[in-house]
Amino acid sequence: MVKLDCVTYIEEVMDEAHLEFDWMVQWNKRQTAVEIFCSIFAEVDLAETVIEDVEGTVTENDIIEFEDAIIFYDPKKTTLDLADYLVAIPFDSKKGIEKGLIDAVVKQLRIVMTEGQSDLLDFATDPTIETFELNWNEADFKGTLETYRETGRYNTELAAYPKF
């Protein structure tokens, strides 16, 4: 049986989850990291609503896109600003990432993005809501990890960090 590297494993788990948002997995070789970019969309009535991004750019499209990312990173090698990510999850690139951790991340990501889609639609249609952002619930994530471990569903097999 062929062992999957962590990038391929993440892609397979996300494919099998049939997620209802756009996503892309990117291997950042220079930073010894794997990023998962996620996008959600909402329709906006531009006649009634003005929406600007964090840089102050006002949207001219009636469909807005919100993108965020999570990162698996090696703390000994990554120099990225981890505050730029929804969540940053450390790992040892020499060992790899436990498959159970990846499984739990994808499960939590589904919840975050589903709630985020609903919140983005509210933001796009309710002028009293001034800001929008995704919210990673660390307590829920840790609860999922604990449930996986208690029920024997936590896979300790390592998905190796890809070789160059």
Side-chain angles (χ1 to χ4, degrees):
M1 183 163 117
V2 177
K3 286 194 171 196
L4 301 178
D5 64 53
C6 62
V7 173
T8 304
Y9 185 75
I10 291 168
E11 289 173 337
E12 284 191 4
V13 170
M14 292 189 69
D15 271 339
E16 290 170 5
H18 302 290
L19 302 168
E20 295 187 15
F21 54 88
D22 290 349
W23 57 270
M24 176 184 67
V25 178
Q26 185 171 317
W27 175 27
N28 189 333
K29 298 173 196 168
R30 289 182 181 244
Q31 292 293 328
T32 315
V34 178
E35 299 161 303
I36 304 173
F37 294 91
C38 304
S39 297
I40 51 179
F41 303 86
E43 190 169 352
V44 180
D45 182 354
L46 293 178
E48 296 181 18
T49 309
V50 175
I51 295 182
E52 63 182 61
D53 63 18
V54 293
E55 295 155 355
T57 305
V58 175
T59 187
E60 296 177 5
N61 299 321
D62 58 352
I63 302 289
I64 57 171
E65 175 183 7
F66 184 87
E67 180 180 85
D68 212 334
I70 64 173
I71 185 171
F72 293 92
Y73 71 101
D74 187 327
K76 297 174 188 164
K77 299 178 180 182
T78 301
T79 59
L80 294 168
D81 185 356
L82 301 178
D84 290 342
Y85 295 88
L86 176 62
V87 67
I89 302 166
F91 75 100
D92 183 335
S93 61
K94 291 183 180 177
K95 293 180 181 177
I97 306 171
E98 288 183 342
K99 290 181 176 181
L101 177 62
I102 294 169
D103 296 341
V105 165
V106 172
K107 179 177 180 176
Q108 183 66 26
L109 187 58
R110 173 195 294 276
I111 294 166
V112 168
M113 297 304 289
T114 300
E115 290 173 356
Q117 180 67 62
S118 175
D119 292 346
L120 182 61
L121 291 170
D122 291 345
F123 170 75
T125 57
D126 184 345
T128 64
I129 301 173
E130 295 184 10
T131 60
F132 169 80
E133 65 182 0
L134 294 175
N135 298 299
W136 181 269
N137 187 319
E138 189 65 20
D140 286 352
F141 175 63
K142 287 180 179 178
T144 297
L145 287 171
E146 189 61 31
T147 299
Y148 278 10
R149 287 184 178 111
E150 289 173 356
T151 59
R153 294 183 293 159
Y154 188 87
N155 186 346
T156 58
E157 183 182 347
L158 294 170
Y161 186 74
K163 304 270 188 245
F164 285 95

